[in-house]
Amino acid sequence: MNNFKTLVVVGSQWGDEGKGKITDYFSQQTNVVVRFSGGDNAGHQINFNGQKHKVRIIPSGIFNKNVINIIGNGCVINLQQIVDEFELIKQSVKDYGTLLISNRAQLVLPYHIQIDTAQEEAKGDKKIGTTKRGIGPAYQDKASRIGVRLGDLAIPNFKERFKEIHSYQKDFLKKMYNIEIEDFETTYNELIVNYEKIKEHVIDTGEYIEAAIKEGKKVLFEGAQGAMLDIDHGTYPFVTSSNCSASNVATGSGIGFKYINKILGVVKAYSTRVGAGGFPTELLNEIGDGIRERGNEYGANTKRPRRVGWIDAVALRYAIRTSGIDALFITLLDVLSGLDEIKICNKYLLNGREITNMPATTEEYEQCEALYVSTPGWSEDITGVTSFDELPDAAKNYIKLIEKICEVDVVGFSVGPDRTQTVLLDQVF
Ligand code: GDP
Ligand code: IMO
Ligand code: MG
């Protein structure tokens, strides 16, 4: 371990593990919080002082006055969303943190949202179930080198440059999807109006982050989505369009990987998935329905019901490898109260063969049958628990079993959505 005070918080399943809650929890003793990937496809709910707050693109440290919150270069950003979200935060909390945005972040433009919808429609029953926030198309344009970066808006000939891009998009999208995009002047004017509102927040954030780390400041890198939605390592093609694993922290923040000290994987005490794709531990029965209701498993912003299943240690061990996770933080443990038994998937059965690693193709993944180990459940309400010792024995055993099967330590657990319903077992930061 190096001496830098940095912590990465990433999702180790299919998103919605409670990364926002855990980031907010650690933000109380952090100087800088950085989002390094994704866009407003993320949705985090953060509860404190009897109030519920939601963020999509602004880092979850924003509810702490002394925290500098950074949207890094690896993110794709919808300026209208940033303006609206920040306005809402300012209205709902008195002591909000500072916001900085990378001049290298790529813009999500109105036509990206139209393309997202058109591409999903064109896929018919093979659709991914995207959030329709234009995330995939914005990353496509980034890779195709026809994207617009936030810093571009400050250059004198931006209008001409953007006009060329817009004109190309207009023709291409008409031919490809028969889409009429908004006229240039409207898109350009909206962009400039929003840019004027946020321009004093725009800097070279990589430079800022490195300087903060070198000064000994505590810097937390907040993941969006989860390991199984990573474009390289997730259940492709049912993934998002960015690397949401910890491996993208350096690229998505503009710093070297040598500054990364510790990687924390947030994991639900069970699994959920929004959108399509293989899900071997899915519970299509009353146990799953009960977990969905108790865990309020409906999208924080979209309200989409989430698919629910047992925890999947095959996928988790894979996430631990692909994200280099040092320790796990278990969330929503309280939701499992009241079950006679709890299962952990330890292997898959594929074509009559037991496997312990993730297959690469979606065709194979969809054929995997989950094989389980079982452990007794508990009936007690644990939402008021403040230490490991106070947990029922069965809950202690469940945590220990996860540690044993995944071969990493569990350094904390969460027993309710509120900031205070968080138990830290070991110093991580
Ligand atoms: P994120 O995207 O990873 O930040 O997660 P979301 O915010 O989308 O989804 C997690 C949901 O679980 C939110 O509604 C949280 O308020 C809630 N939550 C987080 N931790 C706990 C917990 O320990 N228990 C319960 N019951 N809810 C929790
Ligand atoms: P947080 O940060 C859960 C899923 C979508 C879809 C796929 C691709 O809240 O954990 P996209 O719009 O990114 O092109 O959609 O990825 N997805 C998420 N699922 N939590 C998220 O974020 C997600 N972000 C994207 O449902 O299946
Ligand atoms: Mg979420």
Side-chain angles (χ1 to χ4, degrees), residues 74-139:
C75 294
V76 289
I77 55 171
N78 180 329
L79 292 194
Q80 186 68 54
Q81 175 68 28
I82 295 181
V83 167
D84 294 347
E85 203 171 299
F86 203 27
E87 199 45 51
L88 213 62
I89 290 165
K90 287 176 182 169
Q91 283 167 19
S92 62
V93 288
K94 194 162 61 68
D95 293 331
Y96 55 87
T98 303
L99 179 66
L100 297 176
I101 314 167
S102 169
N103 50 8
R104 290 181 174 82
Q106 292 273 336
L107 298 187
V108 176
L109 293 156
Y111 51 77
H112 291 135
I113 297 168
Q114 287 177 280
I115 304 169
D116 201 350
T117 305
Q119 286 180 337
E120 282 284 88
E121 273 166 19
K123 287 195 174 94
D125 61 2
K126 297 210 169 38
K127 67 169 175 276
I128 288 159
T130 73
T131 57
K132 297 195 176 149
R133 293 274 166 164
I135 306 302
Y139 278 115

Side-chain angles (χ1 to χ4, degrees), residues 367-380:
Q367 284 169 36
C368 283
E369 188 190 319
L371 302 177
Y372 296 101
V373 291
S374 173
T375 184
W378 61 91
S379 55
E380 293 88 335

Side-chain angles (χ1 to χ4, degrees), residues 27-296:
S27 293
Q28 294 168 80
Q29 33 147 321
T30 299
N31 305 104
V32 182
V33 175
V34 185
R35 269 281 303 270
F36 59 90
S37 73
D40 58 24
N41 47 349
H44 312 304
Q45 187 163 316
I46 294 151
N47 299 3
F48 56 90
N49 298 341
Q51 276 191 307
K52 293 178 184 170
H53 303 276
K54 288 172 188 171
V55 286
R56 277 186 165 281
I57 180 65
I58 294 182
S60 302
I62 196 70
F63 303 103
N64 295 275
K65 187 170 182 271
N66 298 321
V67 174
I68 309 293
N69 292 271
I70 295 180
I71 301 175
N73 59 278
C75 294
V76 289
I77 55 171
N78 180 329
L79 292 194
Q80 186 68 54
Q81 175 68 28
I82 295 181
V83 167
D84 294 347
E85 203 171 299
F86 203 27
E87 199 45 51
L88 213 62
I89 290 165
K90 287 176 182 169
Q91 283 167 19
S92 62
V93 288
K94 194 162 61 68
D95 293 331
Y96 55 87
T98 303
L99 179 66
L100 297 176
I101 314 167
S102 169
N103 50 8
R104 290 181 174 82
Q106 292 273 336
L107 298 187
V108 176
L109 293 156
Y111 51 77
H112 291 135
I113 297 168
Q114 287 177 280
I115 304 169
D116 201 350
T117 305
Q119 286 180 337
E120 282 284 88
E121 273 166 19
K123 287 195 174 94
D125 61 2
K126 297 210 169 38
K127 67 169 175 276
I128 288 159
T130 73
T131 57
K132 297 195 176 149
R133 293 274 166 164
I135 306 302
Y139 278 115
Q140 282 167 29
D141 280 2
K142 174 180 179 177
S144 300
R145 295 158 293 183
I146 50 168
V148 179
R149 307 207 295 185
L150 186 52
D152 296 343
L153 273 71
I155 59 175
N157 67 342
F158 171 69
K159 190 167 184 181
E160 292 91 83
R161 254 181 70 179
F162 184 44
K163 197 166 192 170
E164 275 172 32
I165 293 174
H166 186 276
S167 160
Y168 164 82
Q169 297 281 13
K170 196 174 169 65
D171 292 347
F172 179 73
L173 297 174
K174 179 75 189 158
K175 284 187 198 127
M176 187 71 191
Y177 298 111
N178 199 23
I179 299 177
E180 290 294 345
I181 67 169
E182 201 176 62
D183 67 278
F184 172 73
E185 288 296 332
T186 309
T187 308
Y188 173 78
N189 289 336
E190 278 169 7
L191 206 51
I192 297 302
V193 166
N194 284 323
Y195 179 64
E196 288 298 321
K197 291 182 188 164
I198 55 128
K199 70 178 184 196
E200 77 269 24
H201 302 270
V202 183
I203 63 159
D204 183 331
T205 50
E207 195 177 18
Y208 184 95
I209 297 163
E210 185 185 58
I213 296 172
K214 283 182 167 172
E215 275 171 36
K217 298 263 171 66
K218 284 185 161 184
V219 181
L220 187 154
F221 297 91
E222 179 190 17
Q225 290 79 51
M228 306 311 294
L229 292 172
D230 184 280
I231 184 131
D232 279 82
H233 305 298
T235 51
Y236 193 89
F238 298 100
V239 292
T240 191
S241 297
S242 65
N243 288 112
C244 40
S245 299
S247 52
N248 194 28
V249 164
T251 306
S253 309
I255 56 153
F257 211 78
K258 65 183 175 185
Y259 295 118
I260 307 304
N261 193 8
K262 190 157 196 172
I263 302 172
L264 192 61
V266 184
V267 55
K268 261 184 198 180
Y270 46 95
S271 301
T272 58
R273 175 162 206 173
V274 198
F279 190 10
T281 66
E282 186 164 16
L283 285 164
L284 295 165
N285 57 20
E286 66 285 358
I287 298 178
D289 295 343
I291 293 175
R292 182 178 304 105
E293 292 315 308
R294 284 195 302 281
N296 189 27

Side-chain angles (χ1 to χ4, degrees), residues 380-426:
E380 293 88 335
D381 176 348
I382 59 167
T383 53
V385 161
T386 58
S387 70
F388 187 78
D389 288 346
E390 287 170 48
L391 284 174
D393 284 346
K396 287 181 189 159
N397 289 337
Y398 182 53
I399 292 177
K400 285 184 195 153
L401 195 56
I402 293 172
E403 284 185 319
K404 191 170 157 222
I405 291 177
C406 295
E407 296 178 11
V408 288
D409 290 342
V410 169
V411 291
F413 61 90
S414 161
V415 292
D418 195 79
R419 202 185 251 176
T420 57
Q421 291 172 299
T422 318
V423 180
L424 195 58
L425 303 175
D426 203 356

Side-chain angles (χ1 to χ4, degrees), residues 16 19 42-44 306:
D16 301 328
K19 299 173 294 293
H44 312 304
R306 297 174 183 149

